[in-house]
Amino acid sequence: MKFFIDTANLAQIQEAHDLGVLDGVTTNPSLMAKEGITGQDNVIKHYLAICDIVGDLPVSAEVIATTYDEIIAEGEALAKLHSSIVVKVPMIKDGVKAIKYFTQNGIKTNCTLVFSAGQALLAAKAGATYVSPFVGRLDDISTDGLQLIEDIRLIFDNYAYETQILAASVRTPMHIINCAKMGSDVITAPLSAITALLKHPLTDSGLATFLADHAKAAGK
Ligand code: E4P
C-alpha cells in the first residue's frame, strides 16, 4: 500500500520523505490556507516547492474551478507546472466530464470528495487515476468510512478498473491498518498518523532492556 502525506506543510513533507516511506503528497485548498498560502502565484510556487522535495512522486493539486471549461483550463495549467502534478477534481458532474477529458489527454487525476460507491464507480468509468473516498468525514457523521473502502475494492476488482483507491481523510493509525486490510491501493494521512505506526510500548521497554543488559555485560 502506498503512503501519501496529506499536508501542504513543507517541513512535514520533508520529514515524511526522509523517513523513506513516502509515495506521494495530497493537498487541498484548506490545507494550503492552513499554511497561509494565498494568491495564485504563491500557490504555484508552493506546489513547485513540494515537487522539489519529493522529486518524481505524485503531488495532488486541487482545482478551485467548478465548471467544465474552467476546470479544464485550471487543470491543464496545473499539469504543466511539473510532471509530478496530479490534477485533483471534485466529484461533481462537470468534474467527471473533465476527468474523462484529462484521461484522454494523458493528464493524471485524483477525483476528490467521494462519499459513496456510486461516485467511485463514476470516477473509475471516467478513467480517474485515483479516487479519494473520505473515510474520516464519513466516520464523523456516524457512517462506516472503512466499509466504503471495502465496497469500492469489491466493485473495482469485479471489473478490473485500474483506478487506484486513495483512502483520504485518514486520520489515525488504525485507519491506516484497516485500509491496508481492505486492500486500499493508497492512503493519505497526516504525518502524525504515519509516525504513530512506529509506536509500541513493548518496543520501547524491550530496547531499554537490551541496551541496559549490553551496558552491564560491558561493565559500564
Ligand atoms: C485529501 O485529499 C483530503 O482532502 C483530505 O484527506 C481530507 O481530510 P480531512 O477530512 O481530515 O480534512
Side-chain angles (χ1 to χ4, degrees):
M1 187 173 73
K2 292 177 197 160
F3 276 31
F4 289 5
I5 187 166
D6 195 24
T7 186
N9 182 287
L10 298 181
Q12 290 185 15
I13 292 168
Q14 184 71 61
E15 189 179 335
H17 194 241
D18 291 347
L19 188 60
V21 298
L22 191 67
D23 300 299
V25 180
T26 53
T27 62
N28 64 36
S30 303
L31 292 170
M32 294 294 268
K34 193 173 163 194
E35 299 306 315
I37 314 298
T38 53
Q40 198 52 17
D41 285 355
N42 290 330
V43 167
I44 285 168
K45 274 189 213 149
H46 204 74
Y47 285 137
L48 292 173
I50 294 172
C51 292
D52 270 354
I53 295 172
V54 300
D56 58 2
L57 300 181
V59 175
S60 286
E62 187 160 340
V63 297
I64 305 299
T66 55
T67 60
Y68 179 76
D69 289 342
E70 287 173 356
I71 294 172
I72 299 299
E74 195 181 344
E76 284 184 328
L78 287 170
K80 276 189 196 129
L81 287 179
H82 195 282
S83 57
S84 298
I85 293 286
V86 174
V87 179
K88 202 171 176 191
V89 180
M91 171 35 78
I92 53 175
K93 196 196 243 180
D94 283 16
V96 172
K97 285 165 65 180
I99 287 168
K100 180 77 181 180
Y101 170 89
F102 288 136
T103 304
Q104 286 169 335
N105 287 276
I107 293 173
K108 290 190 173 145
T109 54
N110 173 358
C111 184
T112 190
L113 290 166
V114 165
F115 293 93
S116 75
Q119 291 178 324
L121 186 53
L122 279 178
K125 284 188 68 66
T129 315
Y130 303 97
V131 63
S132 286
F134 276 37
V135 173
R137 291 193 194 185
L138 283 169
D139 286 356
D140 288 344
I141 57 157
S142 308
T143 303
D144 189 350
L146 289 162
Q147 181 61 52
L148 177 59
I149 303 298
E150 199 173 354
D151 291 347
I152 298 172
R153 179 75 283 153
L154 176 68
I155 292 168
F156 283 12
D157 288 351
N158 279 348
Y159 299 100
Y161 284 121
E162 287 177 13
T163 298
Q164 295 181 52
I165 303 172
L166 195 175
S169 189
V170 160
R171 299 175 185 157
T172 66
M174 282 314 293
H175 272 158
I176 298 177
I177 292 161
N178 284 319
C179 284
K181 283 182 178 177
M182 282 156 188
S184 191
D185 299 291
V186 190
I187 57 92
T188 190
L191 182 63
S192 57
I194 295 170
T195 55
L197 294 172
L198 286 165
K199 292 287 171 200
H200 198 288
L202 291 178
T203 304
D204 296 341
S205 61
L207 181 60
T209 304
F210 286 158
L211 295 178
D213 289 346
H214 174 77
K216 224 183 290 169
K220 287 181 190 161

